[in-house]
Amino acid sequence: MATGGTIASRAGAGGRVASARGQDLLAQTTVPRGITVTVHDVPARGSFAWSLADLRAIVHRIRAALDDEVSGVVVTHGTDTMEETVFLASLLIDDDRPVVFTGAQRPFDDPAPDGPANLADALAVATSDHARGRGPLLCFDGHAFAARGVRKVETLGSHAFDAPGRGPVLRVANGSVLPLTAPGRPPVLPADPGELARVDVISMYVGADAALLRAAAAAGARGIVLAAFGVGNANDEVVDAVRTLTETGVPVLVCSRVPSGPVSPLYGGGGGVDLARAGAVFASDLSPWQARLLLSAALAVAPEDPVRVVSAHLPD
């Protein structure tokens, strides 16, 4: 399934534009022996321009492809938001067959594109027994990562993704897929969420006040994710705003602006202990962007108790 992104982009007067189709990508790739690939093209563009509805549409297309008795599905995707789409897919797709996302850091018309190798690796993973029962994966630069925890960590270099604190689950070497961890499926949502609810992400920084939290709620956000300091800290003014939000039925998840490690309520004086007392929920080691999608989907499937659904997807 070809959706655009850098892997399909060519340079032009207006900058890089995704114009290569799925068959073009396949023609540039060495397909592993014994694999038959069927190509589905989705209207191509950069993933930075996508909406929540676009993410849902991609997941629904993946489900439809899995109805065709395939061994697995590969999705070529822009790297800017790939970590979000693969995470949403992990919440919505209940199937042991591999669903593998990949892309490129260098464009289709680059003298040395990285897309062909990434696509070949993704095809190998999508047909490997080692990839079954792991939920959707993100395959890049010779490694495959579970959806939860994967992040883009490099803007231009070929090792674009990592899972800080977790690491990859598979490695691809010379076309062979090597398991690095035991398989394990992430939990899926109890129902299809339909239209995803608006959830805004607000980051902490020195001197931050509650203005952006109040503005998000006023603009119609049904939930808030706080990209907090360190292990999950804020300040007294933000804590007061969080208390007001949760008391009025707007759930608040706490993540960290730090790339690696979980959040935990440890500090007072505007820190995590006060946020927890104000009704905020600590989202373990989820990135703010993945926590946002979890809360958005939870609000859609269980508007009366989204925190229950969120908690079911966090470690005990």
Side-chain angles (χ1 to χ4, degrees):
M1 186 176 302
T3 74
T6 298
I7 192 171
S9 292
R10 296 181 173 98
R16 295 175 180 174
V17 176
S19 60
R21 296 176 63 81
Q23 287 291 358
D24 300 326
L25 303 183
L26 208 58
Q28 202 182 47
T29 300
T30 301
V31 177
R33 184 176 300 176
I35 295 176
T36 300
V37 182
T38 302
V39 175
H40 294 274
D41 283 292
V42 176
R45 52 186 169 144
S47 65
F48 51 79
W50 286 16
S51 67
L52 288 175
D54 292 324
L55 265 63
R56 283 185 57 244
I58 291 298
V59 174
H60 288 164
R61 285 175 179 263
I62 295 169
R63 281 175 166 171
L66 289 168
D67 287 340
D68 291 339
E69 299 298 324
V70 297
S71 299
V73 176
V74 171
V75 183
T76 58
H77 192 294
T79 59
D80 282 356
T81 63
M82 195 188 306
E83 66 199 72
E84 291 162 86
T85 309
V86 69
F87 181 71
L88 182 62
S90 76
L91 295 176
L92 300 182
I93 296 175
D94 188 10
D95 196 302
D96 279 345
R97 287 172 292 175
V99 173
V100 186
F101 287 73
T102 195
Q105 288 284 77
R106 298 187 295 276
F108 180 82
D109 59 355
D110 189 272
D114 57 329
N118 286 339
L119 181 52
D121 286 350
L123 291 167
V125 170
T127 53
S128 171
D129 287 341
H130 295 308
R132 292 182 65 88
R134 295 181 182 269
L137 302 171
L138 191 156
C139 183
F140 218 94
D141 195 33
H143 297 85
F145 301 90
R148 179 179 176 137
V150 68
R151 297 190 185 197
K152 188 171 183 181
V153 296
E154 167 63 44
T155 59
L156 292 172
S158 59
H159 190 71
F161 291 92
D162 207 338
R166 290 172 174 264
V169 298
L170 302 171
R171 181 163 189 153
V172 188
N174 297 320
S176 297
V177 179
L178 310 173
L180 302 177
T181 66
R185 276 199 53 78
V188 297
L189 291 173
D192 191 297
E195 183 177 356
L196 294 168
R198 173 172 176 169
V199 172
D200 288 346
V201 177
I202 295 173
S203 182
M204 292 303 304
Y205 47 87
V206 174
D209 59 20
L212 293 179
L213 280 84
R214 291 192 292 265
R222 292 174 54 198
I224 300 290
V225 172
L226 195 65
F229 296 117
V231 75
N233 302 309
N235 59 44
D236 288 334
E237 185 174 351
V238 169
V239 168
D240 288 342
V242 168
R243 182 178 297 106
T244 299
L245 289 169
T246 60
E247 288 176 349
T248 56
V250 179
V252 177
L253 298 190
V254 177
C255 298
S256 180
R257 68 179 200 172
V258 180
S260 179
V263 288
S264 181
L266 300 177
Y267 294 89
V273 169
D274 297 331
L275 285 170
R277 288 173 176 166
V281 176
F282 281 65
S284 186
D285 65 344
L286 279 182
S287 72
W289 328 117
Q290 294 191 339
R292 174 205 176 220
L293 284 171
L294 175 57
L295 181 54
S296 180
L299 282 160
V301 300
E304 73 291 343
D305 192 7
V307 171
R308 174 181 56 82
V309 176
V310 168
S311 297
H313 288 77
L314 298 176
D316 295 334

